[in-house]
Amino acid sequence: MSSVHDEVVTSSQPWLHEHGTEIQEFGTVRLFPLGLSRDTRMYSCQRLNRVLADAQMLHALYKKHHWLMRGPTFYQLHLLLDKHAGEQLALIDTVAERVQTLGGVAVGDPRHAAEITQVPRPPDGVEKVPAMLSRLLEAHEIILNDAHDAAKRTAELGDDGTNDVLVSNVIRTGELQAWFLAEHLVDTPLVHT
């Protein structure tokens, strides 16, 4: 004899307008068997989420400036900024997954990221090209300063995985991208007459 609960109801109708309750709050960590204390994982998640929010803003700046680029180096900078945006997107995913690996909650909503970022908001309009590039460099410097400090502190706490993500991904990618941008701000003629 089967009951109503034993029957599986199948339907091709999507479940629309579903809203659930929050099952883990931002700023908390779940217990995972990672060989790291709760306090270490909490600290690492806090630092990574700050870097993550800043990297999301940097990615958005790269896309904005990619679209709004002007002038004789338009094509080269348009392509470079899009390439850097793609690299930032991959970095964002790596950092977010590290937060999740530690049992935390990665900052994923851009409105939330905007609340905790240290990267200043740019004007809504178009700036001159050197100003756009300088703004990107300033965002990189904010992230790099934070990442260097976070890498040192997470290493001291024994969180080698977070240290590796910060050094191998955030710092190395950021330094290389900053170098490429800075070279575009050197005032040298394209051709000598």
Side-chain angles (χ1 to χ4, degrees):
M1 170 164 266
S2 66
S3 70
V4 173
H5 298 290
D6 293 334
E7 294 179 29
V8 177
V9 178
T10 57
S11 170
S12 64
Q13 175 61 44
W15 295 2
L16 303 175
H17 310 291
E18 290 290 315
H19 299 277
T21 57
E22 194 173 74
I23 61 172
Q24 183 182 357
E25 291 183 20
F26 181 81
T28 64
V29 292
R30 295 182 291 157
L31 179 60
F32 282 165
L34 302 176
L36 295 169
S37 72
R38 180 194 172 283
D39 288 345
T40 295
R41 291 181 302 109
M42 180 71 86
Y43 179 81
S44 293
C45 286
Q46 289 168 349
R47 295 304 299 266
L48 287 166
N49 268 320
R50 195 160 71 197
V51 169
L52 180 57
D54 291 341
Q56 289 178 50
M57 294 303 111
L58 179 57
H59 172 262
L61 275 178
Y62 266 119
K63 290 307 286 187
K64 174 185 170 128
H65 297 329
H66 157 79
W67 295 321
L68 303 179
M69 191 48 55
R70 304 283 196 268
T73 58
F74 165 82
Y75 183 72
Q76 294 83 356
L77 285 172
H78 181 75
L79 294 179
L80 178 66
L81 300 186
D82 201 37
K83 177 183 180 290
H84 283 194
E87 293 166 355
Q88 284 297 316
L89 197 55
L91 184 145
I92 287 165
D93 193 54
T94 299
V95 173
E97 288 179 356
R98 181 63 189 167
V99 172
Q100 296 303 126
T101 299
L102 293 169
V105 177
V107 59
D109 186 322
R111 294 165 295 196
H112 186 193
E115 291 172 2
I116 61 177
T117 188
Q118 301 172 87
V119 175
R121 181 178 174 165
D124 291 334
V126 180
E127 295 178 286
K128 291 181 179 180
V129 172
M132 287 191 264
L133 298 180
S134 290
R135 190 173 293 284
L136 289 166
L137 280 169
E138 290 165 8
H140 273 294
E141 188 171 32
I142 289 167
I143 293 168
L144 287 167
N145 284 334
D146 195 31
H148 280 290
D149 183 64
K152 177 183 172 192
R153 293 177 188 264
T154 56
E156 291 168 355
L157 293 170
D159 187 353
D160 300 322
T162 296
N163 174 273
D164 180 52
V165 166
L166 290 165
V167 173
S168 298
N169 299 96
V170 177
I171 293 172
R172 289 193 179 135
T173 299
E175 288 175 344
L176 188 63
Q177 289 183 347
W179 170 47
F180 272 68
L181 292 172
E183 291 299 343
H184 281 278
L185 290 172
V186 175
D187 188 18
T188 58
L190 294 174
V191 178
H192 290 282
T193 56

